[in-house]
Structure formats: C-alpha cells, structure tokens
Amino acid sequence: MSNTDSAAAPHSSSSKKRSKFVQLCRTPWIPERLLQEYGGLCSFDTTFRRAGRMLQICWMRDHNIPNAIPDGKRNTHLGSYLSPDAADAGLNFLTPDIHLLALREMLLRERGAAYDFDRAVANSLSSQPLVFNAFGPLALNLTLATNVFRQLVPSFVQSVEKVLFEHSPGRRVDDPARDNRWLADRSAVDVALHVRTPEGESGIIYCEMKYSEDQTGPAARWRERYDEALKQVRLYKDPNSPVLRDVAIEQLTREHMLSQLAVDNGVTRRAMFIAIGPRLNRRVQTAFQVYANELLPVDDNDRSRVTFRHFTLETFIDAIDVAGDQATADQLWQRYCNFQRVYEAALSLLAPNAQPAAADGSAGEGQLDRKQDDKPRSRRRSSARTKSDQVAAAPEANRHGQ
C-alpha cells in the first residue's frame, strides 16, 4: 500500500453519484475594504485564513451571533470572535448537544491535555471547535460514525465503537517524560476512534484535523527521544531527513510515531493515522503530501505497520452526507467550506451593479447583506479584546510537544 496518495472521495469507488458539494478551484482573494467593514482585518492572515475568517463572519451573521468588536472599533479582526455572552451560550458549536459534549470533554480531559477553553468557545476560526463540530455528531451517533468511516477507510473499519478527543496513548503511564516507550512529551491527536476491523480485530484511527493553520508553528522543542523514535518506528525512508523535523511537518511526524508506538507497545493490535484539512488550504495540503512522500511503502501483509491517509475536509463532509446525516453535512459545508459565499461578497463590493455568478459559471447564491450590524452587543469584557492582532490571529498553539 502506498502512503503517497490522498484518499478518494466517498462516491468514487462505490457510486456514480456526484457530490452535491462543489468547491471553488482556488481560494478567493478578499479585498481589504470588505475585511475592514466586517471586522475581519488581520495583517498576518494567509490568503486562505483571510477568506476563512470572512466565511466565519458570514456564518455568524447568518445565525445572529454577536461578535466581540467593541462599539465603534474599526480595523480589527474580532468580527470572527464571539461576544462573551454568545461564547458562554455555546454558539460556537453547531448544536446544543455538541456544545455539551465539548464541555464534558474539556472538563473530563485526559491529564496533560492542552485545551484552550477561550479559543474553543469564542474563536470561530479555530480548528478546536471544528474538531467538535465535525466529530461530535459521530461521537453522539456511532452508527453514523461507522457509516462515515466505512466509506473513508473500508478496508480498516467494520464498525466504530468509541470516539475520544485530545487523546494520547502515552498518558497511560505515570510520567511520560521518563518513559522511553513513548515520546517524553505531551504529544496527542485531536481524535481517536476505536474501531473493529473487517477481520474482527480491534483497531484505532488516530486523527489530526486542520483548518486555517499556515504550518509555520509554533513547533515542539525537538528532543533526543524523537531522533531515537524516528528509527525505532521503521516508518521512514530516511529517519535522518530534515523534512521530518521541519516546522510544517514535525507535528505529523510526532503523531504518526505516537500512533505506531501505540501498536508496538500493545495499546492496540492495529492502527491508522489520518489527517484532514480543507482542499483550498494549500499549505496544509502540501504538508500532508510532503509528509506522505517521506514514508516507506507499507506491506499489505504486515498489519503491525501504521499507515497514513489524508483526506480533504470536503471529502469528510461529503461522507457524512452520503452516510445519511444531510443536515450536519449542510451545516458543516456552509460554515467551513462555502467559499462561494465570500467570493460573491467580494464581487458585490467591487462590482455592486453586476449580477453575481458562481466561480464555475453557474448562478450564484445571492449577495451578502452588507448593512452594518446593528445587533446589540454584550457589554461584558471579552478576553479576546485584550489580545494583540498577532496573538489572536496566530495559528493553533502547539498543544502537543511542549
């Protein structure tokens, strides 16, 4: 089995039906004037994060979710942050059930788990709420989880039996830093799905999810143990390759090693490591592909080896739709992947009298209402307001290697 190819869409192997979700060919450029008007201006944003921030602002406005912009403030990025009252009400999550699940997981977190509570409940652009919004419905409905992953990895999944968040098998020991079976750090994956394979064996799918990250760090402090583990796990063409230590790649390296060590140390008989990210986030997709190219081919007869697969977020959402939960799929698409929406908003700003059309030539979905937001905002002080643009707009903090 090759580790160098991204996974195909769910429809490709089992159905001729075309997905109802159609993505743009590239990330639309968002004019600065539009970002200023809606409170999405951040000089440190990549092209994708800039568009993603605008998409989150659109989603918040659609659902009448107050933002954290102080009255009269301009030239801010806080339009994508929820007001304190909205954050407390759980409006960063798609449903009340997902909000409650997220609270329970954060309160009953594994020892050493590195949740950022404020980011999870108040930052709409963060991948932390995305993890709960995407995998929460699966954790609450294991039949749905089974149907989704039987599409994505049919050779590995017969059924999904449990879903864990912010998980590390290395936390099973009293002192990971002194236990050379693991990585001597706090490395963890976003999600771990306990599954039953078609052969009836127990297995675990370890998953890392990205959204707006630009793959520039912060990175974990490199440890001698990592150098040892790179050779120990027997996953890489060249364990000394500097690519595996690069800031854009090293998190994938650590988490894949951790997944392999889970098998080697008897936590599970079989495992797979997967990564999920938006198709239009080129930095994320490039990191996945570059990492895959560092891996040795996997012998199909050697079930002790942990394979790596990477999927687009669009493919994951499509699998949820095909599995029968169209409502959740539609919600995820509108919030995280409908970049047609921000393309049309930008077009309506630059050509207000033009009839908007989809980037693929089809009719558009209509212009964004560009009236100033006159909804009352909370008078409580938002923790987001006290942060600088650079801190608040930074990619997800490295919660794994510290």
Side-chain angles (χ1 to χ4, degrees), residues 253-395:
T253 303
R254 287 185 287 109
E255 294 181 11
H256 196 178
M257 290 194 295
L258 189 67
S259 303
Q260 183 62 62
L261 291 171
V263 174
D264 295 346
N265 291 322
V267 173
T268 181
R269 297 191 65 177
R270 298 184 64 187
M272 175 180 287
F273 177 49
I274 70 172
I276 300 172
R279 184 173 71 83
L280 296 184
N281 189 332
R282 294 188 299 170
R283 297 192 185 197
V284 164
Q285 293 301 322
T286 298
F288 292 169
Q289 187 63 56
V290 169
Y291 177 71
N293 289 338
E294 294 294 309
L295 299 170
L296 289 167
V298 176
D299 183 350
D300 289 335
N301 295 320
D302 186 357
R303 295 183 177 179
S304 67
R305 297 294 88 197
V306 176
T307 60
F308 172 66
R309 302 283 300 277
H310 52 103
F311 302 90
T312 66
L313 179 58
E314 290 85 341
T315 295
F316 182 81
I317 293 173
D318 193 36
I320 293 176
D321 180 70
V322 174
D325 192 348
Q326 290 85 9
T328 294
D330 288 344
Q331 287 179 304
L332 288 168
W333 183 268
Q334 293 302 324
R335 174 162 178 181
Y336 292 109
C337 293
N338 187 12
F339 288 97
Q340 177 74 34
R341 177 76 182 279
V342 295
Y343 162 75
E344 290 179 1
L347 186 63
S348 69
L349 174 71
L350 299 176
N353 297 323
Q355 178 67 30
D360 62 1
S362 61
E365 297 177 357
Q367 299 186 25
L368 174 69
D369 180 7
R370 296 179 53 245
K371 295 179 181 179
Q372 290 294 326
D373 186 0
D374 57 0
K375 298 186 296 294
R377 295 190 178 96
S378 168
R379 299 293 181 177
R380 292 173 51 196
R381 180 176 178 82
S382 168
S383 60
R385 299 177 192 175
T386 66
K387 300 179 180 179
S388 69
D389 275 8
Q390 184 170 8
V391 172

Side-chain angles (χ1 to χ4, degrees), residues 33-54:
R33 278 190 295 158
L34 188 63
L35 296 167
Q36 286 178 327
E37 182 174 340
Y38 286 99
L41 184 63
C42 179
S43 61
F44 303 100
D45 280 351
T46 62
T47 299
F48 180 84
R49 189 184 295 139
R50 187 177 176 125
R53 192 181 299 279
M54 189 66 207

Side-chain angles (χ1 to χ4, degrees), residues 81-82 108 163 175 179 220 309 378:
Y81 283 76
L82 281 68
L108 294 175
V163 179
D175 189 354
D179 193 321
R309 302 283 300 277
S378 168

Side-chain angles (χ1 to χ4, degrees), residues 94 124 134 145-146 167 232 249 251 274 285 294 306 327 356 378 397 402:
L94 296 181
S124 66
T146 294
H167 172 71
Q232 177 184 347
I249 306 296
Q251 185 182 10
I274 70 172
Q285 293 301 322
E294 294 294 309
V306 176
S378 168
Q402 303 169 4

